[in-house]
Amino acid sequence: MKRLAAIACAWIFTAFAHDVTKPAEGVALDQRPGAKITPTLAFVDERNRPTTLSRALGGRPGIVVLGYATCQDLCPMTLAAASRALRDGGLVPGRDYAALFVSVDPRDDAAALAQAKARDLPAESQPAWTFLSNATSAHDLAREVGFRFRRDDDPDAIAHAAGLLVVTPDAVVSRYFTGVHFDPTDVRLALSEAAQGRVGSIVDRLVLLCYHFDPATGRYTLTVINFERAAIAVFLVAAAAFAWFRLRRAGAA
């Protein structure tokens, strides 16, 4: 049974391992699933419009990338990888998720955010993303989600970890993905979980039986035991129905 379950799950999807970028000393993305983010944190977006975290999410699950507008390496790579994963996962931007980039640099104004958005995202992905800044709110957000950063030796640079987090529509941290490579299936499943079933198809929920999210690696891994339990449950229900049907026919005879 276990072997058959493993083959079935592997046939549906193949597990994917994320590359993890080692951050500089003193910075990290500490995983705090279940942490509640203050939904009223105030920001200004790349169009210089005031908003809040809750308003930016708009009742949808979301992914959040933290960094700064003038970052030349990790932020562009992370944003490009995240946008590819969202696109290739078949999710509809604006309906299925919100995508947010939050700058922790107090020097980043709306103009800097707009420039970073145009530079770091392909044109077709830009409408799905909102870039946000506000020094106080961004630092509060970073503290709540475990994003630790520091000024680098270069005064214009900020040392920080690479990755993204998935949040529920109520701004509760659901998952963390570290590194600068994200599998579309993993991201889709994480958003499906974050939305509590409001995003994703029946196939997504079937795959969630086969896969388990490992917070240590930041990926979904095959878990045979859940599939086996589901198969046993279906078998027992079918056997009970068959026995009831036979008994009913015998009584009628």
Side-chain angles (χ1 to χ4, degrees), residues 44-94:
V44 172
D45 69 12
E46 75 277 7
R47 297 184 182 180
N48 203 30
R49 299 173 301 186
T51 188
T52 64
L53 180 68
S54 178
R55 193 179 306 157
L57 287 174
R60 300 158 293 181
I63 69 165
V64 179
V65 175
L66 289 97
Y68 63 107
T70 56
C71 180
Q72 298 298 312
D73 37 53
L74 290 184
C75 294
M77 288 189 291
T78 303
L79 287 167
S83 64
R84 283 195 302 269
L86 290 167
R87 179 198 65 201
D88 296 344
L91 298 169
V92 178

XYZ file of all heavy atoms in Angstrom, residues 44-94:
366
model
N 2.749 53.749 2.070
C 2.522 54.494 0.836
C 2.975 53.596 -0.304
O 4.037 52.962 -0.208
C 3.314 55.818 0.827
C 3.223 56.485 -0.540
C 2.804 56.749 1.907
N 2.179 53.495 -1.379
C 2.561 52.613 -2.472
C 3.362 53.361 -3.532
O 3.677 54.549 -3.380
C 1.336 51.915 -3.069
C 0.414 52.871 -3.819
O 0.798 54.029 -4.088
O -0.714 52.448 -4.146
N 3.700 52.659 -4.608
C 4.558 53.234 -5.646
C 3.885 54.368 -6.414
O 4.542 55.088 -7.160
C 5.038 52.138 -6.608
C 4.001 51.628 -7.596
C 3.089 50.563 -7.020
O 3.170 50.300 -5.793
O 2.301 49.972 -7.780
N 2.592 54.538 -6.221
C 1.875 55.664 -6.831
C 1.630 56.794 -5.823
O 0.842 57.694 -6.079
C 0.552 55.186 -7.420
C 0.703 54.182 -8.558
C -0.645 53.831 -9.147
N -0.523 52.844 -10.206
C -1.556 52.355 -10.908
N -2.785 52.804 -10.646
N -1.362 51.462 -11.851
N 2.294 56.677 -4.701
C 2.197 57.671 -3.627
C 0.798 57.734 -3.023
O 0.352 58.780 -2.547
C 2.609 59.064 -4.125
C 3.067 59.958 -2.980
O 3.604 59.492 -1.975
N 2.853 61.255 -3.121
N 0.113 56.591 -3.018
C -1.216 56.517 -2.417
C -1.111 55.901 -1.028
O -0.476 54.852 -0.862
C -2.151 55.671 -3.280
C -2.370 56.203 -4.684
C -3.155 55.229 -5.525
N -2.483 53.939 -5.631
C -2.912 52.941 -6.414
N -3.986 53.094 -7.162
N -2.238 51.807 -6.446
N -1.735 56.488 -0.023
C -1.727 55.884 1.312
C -2.571 54.624 1.330
O -3.617 54.534 0.666
C -2.342 56.976 2.197
C -3.179 57.794 1.264
C -2.476 57.762 -0.066
N -2.126 53.626 2.071
C -2.854 52.371 2.184
C -2.458 51.692 3.480
O -1.656 52.207 4.256
C -2.575 51.463 0.972
O -3.445 50.312 1.006
C -1.124 50.985 0.961
N -3.050 50.558 3.746
C -2.683 49.723 4.896
C -2.389 48.321 4.402
O -2.720 47.964 3.257
C -3.816 49.667 5.932
O -4.960 49.030 5.334
C -4.192 51.059 6.425
N -1.796 47.520 5.252
C -1.516 46.149 4.865
C -2.810 45.416 4.526
O -2.898 44.697 3.524
C -0.774 45.426 5.990
C -0.423 43.969 5.690
C 0.629 43.886 4.594
C 0.072 43.256 6.937
N -3.823 45.595 5.359
C -5.101 44.926 5.126
C -5.704 45.342 3.795
O -6.214 44.509 3.035
C -6.067 45.239 6.266
O -7.326 44.642 6.044
N -5.649 46.630 3.490
C -6.215 47.120 2.232
C -5.426 46.590 1.041
O -6.002 46.269 -0.011
C -6.221 48.636 2.233
C -7.059 49.262 1.116
C -7.025 50.776 1.229
N -7.436 51.198 2.572
C -7.096 52.358 3.114
N -6.321 53.201 2.452
N -7.516 52.686 4.316
N -4.116 46.485 1.194
C -3.292 45.967 0.102
C -3.590 44.495 -0.165
O -3.561 44.046 -1.312
C -1.812 46.162 0.428
N -3.864 43.733 0.892
C -4.225 42.329 0.708
C -5.605 42.203 0.070
O -5.860 41.281 -0.710
C -4.193 41.591 2.043
C -2.815 41.307 2.634
C -2.949 40.710 4.036
C -2.016 40.359 1.738
N -6.509 43.085 0.417
C -7.822 43.099 -0.213
C -8.638 41.839 -0.011
O -9.369 41.427 -0.915
N -8.501 41.215 1.170
C -9.270 40.003 1.433
C -8.761 38.765 0.726
O -9.453 37.745 0.675
N -7.561 38.835 0.189
C -6.963 37.705 -0.526
C -5.742 37.184 0.228
O -5.127 37.921 0.986
C -6.516 38.146 -1.927
C -7.610 38.683 -2.814
C -7.050 39.567 -3.906
N -6.469 40.789 -3.363
C -5.932 41.747 -4.114
N -5.865 41.613 -5.421
N -5.427 42.839 -3.550
N -5.358 35.931 0.000
C -4.057 35.499 0.516
C -2.977 36.245 -0.254
O -3.228 36.762 -1.356
C -4.034 33.990 0.198
C -4.913 33.863 -0.998
C -6.016 34.876 -0.807
N -1.796 36.327 0.322
C -0.763 37.087 -0.364
C 0.620 36.544 -0.139
O 0.859 35.737 0.766
N 1.525 36.967 -0.987
C 2.945 36.724 -0.752
C 3.579 38.077 -0.445
O 3.177 39.105 -1.001
C 3.644 36.020 -1.927
C 3.732 36.940 -3.138
C 2.948 34.731 -2.283
C 4.709 36.452 -4.171
N 4.556 38.071 0.455
C 5.215 39.298 0.875
C 6.719 39.104 0.741
O 7.281 38.134 1.261
C 4.868 39.661 2.327
C 5.590 40.947 2.738
C 3.356 39.811 2.502
N 7.353 40.013 0.026
C 8.810 40.047 -0.100
C 9.292 41.316 0.583
O 8.789 42.404 0.295
C 9.260 40.044 -1.569
C 10.782 40.198 -1.669
C 8.800 38.771 -2.270
N 10.246 41.189 1.487
C 10.832 42.357 2.150
C 12.224 42.609 1.603
O 12.982 41.671 1.333
C 10.895 42.161 3.660
C 9.552 42.187 4.384
C 9.057 40.764 4.616
C 9.656 42.906 5.721
N 12.575 43.882 1.452
C 13.879 44.255 0.941
C 13.991 45.760 0.867
O 13.470 46.467 1.728
N 14.643 46.259 -0.191
C 14.728 47.711 -0.365
C 14.898 48.015 -1.844
O 15.356 47.178 -2.630
C 15.837 48.315 0.483
C 17.243 47.864 0.157
C 18.134 48.707 -0.496
C 17.692 46.604 0.537
C 19.431 48.307 -0.770
C 18.984 46.193 0.271
C 19.849 47.045 -0.393
O 21.127 46.649 -0.667
N 14.492 49.205 -2.236
C 14.339 49.538 -3.652
C 15.641 49.535 -4.435
O 15.658 49.177 -5.613
C 13.655 50.890 -3.800
N 16.753 49.927 -3.820
C 18.012 50.024 -4.549
C 18.865 48.760 -4.448
O 20.018 48.758 -4.875
C 18.837 51.234 -4.046
O 19.037 51.111 -2.627
C 18.112 52.534 -4.349
N 18.305 47.698 -3.898
C 19.010 46.417 -3.817
C 19.376 45.950 -5.231
O 18.543 45.983 -6.139
C 18.123 45.390 -3.124
S 18.868 43.751 -2.947
N 20.603 45.505 -5.403
C 21.096 45.143 -6.729
C 21.186 43.638 -6.960
O 21.480 43.218 -8.085
C 22.486 45.758 -6.950
C 22.501 47.275 -6.899
C 21.655 47.903 -7.987
O 21.745 47.527 -9.158
N 20.822 48.872 -7.616
N 20.957 42.830 -5.924
C 21.149 41.399 -6.121
C 19.972 40.570 -5.624
O 19.176 40.074 -6.423
C 22.445 40.920 -5.465
C 22.723 41.635 -4.147
O 21.825 41.645 -3.289
O 23.829 42.178 -3.972
N 19.830 40.405 -4.298
C 18.826 39.486 -3.774
C 17.395 39.907 -4.113
O 16.575 39.068 -4.498
C 18.977 39.338 -2.258
C 20.216 38.595 -1.761
C 20.167 38.452 -0.244
C 20.342 37.227 -2.419
N 17.084 41.175 -3.972
C 15.701 41.607 -4.225
C 15.282 41.394 -5.674
O 14.205 40.837 -5.930
C 15.512 43.063 -3.814
S 15.668 43.336 -2.034
N 16.090 41.818 -6.656
C 15.696 41.546 -8.042
C 15.543 40.059 -8.339
O 14.613 39.657 -9.044
C 16.840 42.163 -8.860
C 17.387 43.236 -7.990
C 17.284 42.694 -6.593
N 16.460 39.237 -7.822
C 16.362 37.800 -8.059
C 15.123 37.208 -7.393
O 14.421 36.372 -7.973
C 17.629 37.095 -7.558
C 18.855 37.345 -8.403
S 20.258 36.285 -7.931
C 20.683 36.957 -6.331
N 14.844 37.632 -6.160
C 13.682 37.118 -5.435
C 12.390 37.524 -6.119
O 11.472 36.704 -6.294
C 13.686 37.635 -3.988
O 14.911 37.266 -3.351
C 12.521 37.046 -3.204
N 12.287 38.784 -6.522
C 11.076 39.253 -7.190
C 10.863 38.549 -8.522
O 9.729 38.161 -8.859
C 11.164 40.761 -7.405
C 10.984 41.615 -6.152
C 11.399 43.062 -6.421
C 9.543 41.566 -5.677
N 11.918 38.359 -9.287
C 11.792 37.669 -10.570
C 11.340 36.231 -10.375
O 10.464 35.726 -11.102
C 13.124 37.720 -11.322
N 11.941 35.560 -9.392
C 11.571 34.164 -9.128
C 10.137 34.048 -8.623
O 9.391 33.146 -9.011
C 12.543 33.552 -8.118
N 9.739 34.962 -7.750
C 8.374 34.935 -7.219
C 7.355 35.180 -8.317
O 6.315 34.508 -8.388
C 8.223 35.957 -6.104
N 7.629 36.155 -9.187
C 6.677 36.448 -10.260
C 6.563 35.288 -11.234
O 5.467 34.985 -11.719
C 7.089 37.724 -11.001
O 8.335 37.574 -11.645
N 7.670 34.589 -11.503
C 7.617 33.411 -12.380
C 6.794 32.296 -11.748
O 5.994 31.640 -12.419
C 9.032 32.913 -12.685
C 9.789 33.720 -13.709
C 11.011 32.956 -14.208
N 11.911 32.606 -13.128
C 12.924 33.378 -12.727
N 13.117 34.555 -13.305
N 13.717 32.985 -11.750
N 7.012 32.080 -10.452
C 6.280 31.010 -9.769
C 4.781 31.288 -9.769
O 3.959 30.384 -9.985
C 6.795 30.853 -8.339
N 4.399 32.528 -9.522
C 2.986 32.892 -9.531
C 2.394 32.732 -10.926
O 1.283 32.214 -11.096
C 2.817 34.332 -9.049
C 3.103 34.563 -7.560
C 3.215 36.058 -7.278
C 2.023 33.936 -6.689
N 3.132 33.159 -11.920
C 2.650 33.044 -13.302
C 2.520 31.579 -13.724
O 1.478 31.166 -14.252
C 3.627 33.763 -14.238
C 3.257 33.693 -15.723
C 4.471 34.020 -16.567
N 5.524 33.007 -16.408
C 6.804 33.217 -16.685
N 7.215 34.409 -17.104
N 7.700 32.245 -16.529
N 3.567 30.782 -13.467
C 3.573 29.395 -13.910
C 2.648 28.519 -13.081
O 2.294 27.413 -13.506
C 4.994 28.830 -13.873
C 5.927 29.540 -14.847
O 5.413 30.248 -15.753
O 7.157 29.406 -14.707
N 2.255 28.998 -11.898
C 1.323 28.228 -11.076
C -0.113 28.331 -11.539
O -0.991 27.652 -11.006
N -0.369 29.171 -12.531
C -1.706 29.274 -13.080
C -2.668 30.093 -12.239
O -3.883 30.025 -12.441
N -2.138 30.884 -11.302
C -2.998 31.696 -10.453
C -3.353 33.008 -11.139
O -2.579 33.541 -11.925
C -2.292 31.981 -9.129
C -1.968 30.751 -8.275
C -1.037 31.130 -7.139
C -3.238 30.134 -7.729
N -4.532 33.513 -10.833
C -5.011 34.753 -11.437
C -4.689 35.918 -10.500
O -5.224 35.988 -9.387
C -6.525 34.700 -11.704
C -7.007 36.028 -12.295
C -6.856 33.542 -12.647
N -3.808 36.846 -10.926
C -3.468 37.974 -10.056
C -4.675 38.857 -9.793
O -5.519 39.063 -10.657
C -2.398 38.721 -10.855
C -2.623 38.306 -12.282
C -3.125 36.897 -12.218
N -4.750 39.355 -8.569
C -5.867 40.202 -8.195
C -7.078 39.438 -7.720
O -7.855 39.946 -6.909
